[in-house]
Amino acid sequence: MKTIILAGGYGIRLSELTDSIPKPMITIGNKPILWHIMNTYSYYNHKDFYLALGYKAEVIKEFFLNYRSLNNDLEINMSNGSINHIQNEKIDWNVTLVNTGQNTMTGGRVKRLSKFIGNETFLLIYGDGVANIDINKLIEFHKSHKKMVTLTAVRPAARFGELEIQENKIINFQEKPQLSEGWINGGYFVIDPEFFDLIENDNEMLERTPIQRAAKLGELMAYKHEGFWQCMDTKRDHQLLEELWKNNPPWVL
């Protein structure tokens, strides 16, 4: 199953870190958070990634172009310039890097990748959060209810938005109100291709009109994840993830 990663935003709330790099390239330990996210999907054997790029796309492209050289030992023949990669870190991902526009909104970025996805159910994730979610159980849940969209509902320590859920069906979606139940949108979507038709143009945010349309149609379901989840919205979030990395990080499977 193909996985879209939204990796094109400006990361304004982390501007002290994103002046020179895009938000998904901010490191936890010595790896970008983007790598940590991809590693979770790879653990469950989902290794076909489609990155929706925008702001400072060249930084992400350079990371993957140079990945083998930067993460493995090298044997270089100085007389003819030949390079032999001495494998230390084996990685078998397929990564498609797509410029989806500097100012395109999240919904528009998803729509622009429809030609790569085709008529297949796909996975979708933001490029700024980690979790210890079982991706295959998430997919099984999506297949069981036969609705168009599944999003992962989480209960973070810091609250950002609210989902009203009855019998796992999302009946109301609000991005950032006062919480009553404590469930928020944690990303980690499973989506049927019909969803592309709910996105009209580049200016639509995924979290607003398209998702709300799915909810009104009765086609939006919640997979409740009770385990670890943490986004990286602020410098404080980044510091928390760095501290967790030093002591058995809960998202590493």
Side-chain angles (χ1 to χ4, degrees), residues 105-149:
M105 296 291 101
T106 47
R109 295 190 193 282
V110 174
K111 181 85 167 183
R112 287 195 181 204
L113 286 177
S114 61
K115 62 184 179 182
F116 296 95
I117 302 302
N119 192 32
E120 302 176 21
T121 299
F122 63 98
L123 306 170
L124 172 67
I125 181 64
Y126 303 110
D128 62 356
V130 288
N132 62 349
I133 184 171
D134 186 321
I135 302 297
N136 289 336
K137 286 185 178 179
L138 168 64
I139 294 170
E140 288 174 9
F141 173 79
H142 178 79
K143 290 178 178 178
S144 72
H145 61 63
K146 302 185 186 302
K147 299 295 183 181
M148 187 187 301
V149 180

Side-chain angles (χ1 to χ4, degrees), residues 145-150 168-173 191-200 204 208-221:
H145 61 63
K146 302 185 186 302
K147 299 295 183 181
M148 187 187 301
V149 180
T150 297
N168 288 329
K169 179 178 285 189
I170 297 172
I171 61 174
N172 188 35
F173 181 100
I191 302 178
D192 291 338
E194 293 79 10
F195 181 71
F196 291 125
D197 295 332
L198 301 185
I199 307 170
E200 293 184 353
E204 290 195 339
R208 295 183 183 173
T209 312
I211 290 290
Q212 289 172 352
R213 287 177 183 140
K216 288 177 181 177
L217 290 170
E219 293 289 335
L220 181 62
M221 301 291 285

Side-chain angles (χ1 to χ4, degrees), residues 30-31 35 67-75 84-92:
N30 62 346
K31 299 286 190 183
W35 180 92
Y67 189 90
R68 287 188 66 200
S69 295
L70 295 176
N71 290 277
N72 292 284
D73 294 334
L74 303 174
E75 180 182 52
N84 178 36
H85 292 86
I86 304 170
Q87 196 76 40
N88 283 337
E89 181 178 350
K90 186 175 182 180
I91 193 165
D92 57 352

Side-chain angles (χ1 to χ4, degrees), residues 153-178:
V154 298
R155 294 181 190 240
R159 299 176 175 182
F160 297 95
E162 183 174 8
L163 308 174
E164 187 176 347
I165 302 170
Q166 291 181 2
E167 296 181 351
N168 288 329
K169 179 178 285 189
I170 297 172
I171 61 174
N172 188 35
F173 181 100
Q174 300 181 64
E175 191 178 359
K176 292 185 181 179
Q178 177 106 22

Side-chain angles (χ1 to χ4, degrees), residues 26-96:
I26 296 173
T27 57
I28 302 170
N30 62 346
K31 299 286 190 183
I33 191 170
L34 177 61
W35 180 92
H36 290 272
I37 295 166
M38 296 169 77
N39 203 48
T40 297
Y41 281 89
S42 177
Y43 179 85
Y44 291 102
N45 206 35
H46 299 284
K47 303 177 182 181
D48 193 7
F49 298 102
Y50 293 78
L51 274 55
L53 307 181
Y55 174 68
K56 295 194 178 296
E58 68 280 1
V59 177
I60 298 177
K61 288 182 177 181
E62 288 171 1
F63 173 76
F64 286 103
L65 282 170
N66 297 319
Y67 189 90
R68 287 188 66 200
S69 295
L70 295 176
N71 290 277
N72 292 284
D73 294 334
L74 303 174
E75 180 182 52
I76 304 173
N77 187 316
M78 299 301 290
S79 64
N80 61 22
S82 65
I83 299 174
N84 178 36
H85 292 86
I86 304 170
Q87 196 76 40
N88 283 337
E89 181 178 350
K90 186 175 182 180
I91 193 165
D92 57 352
W93 306 341
N94 182 68
V95 184
T96 302

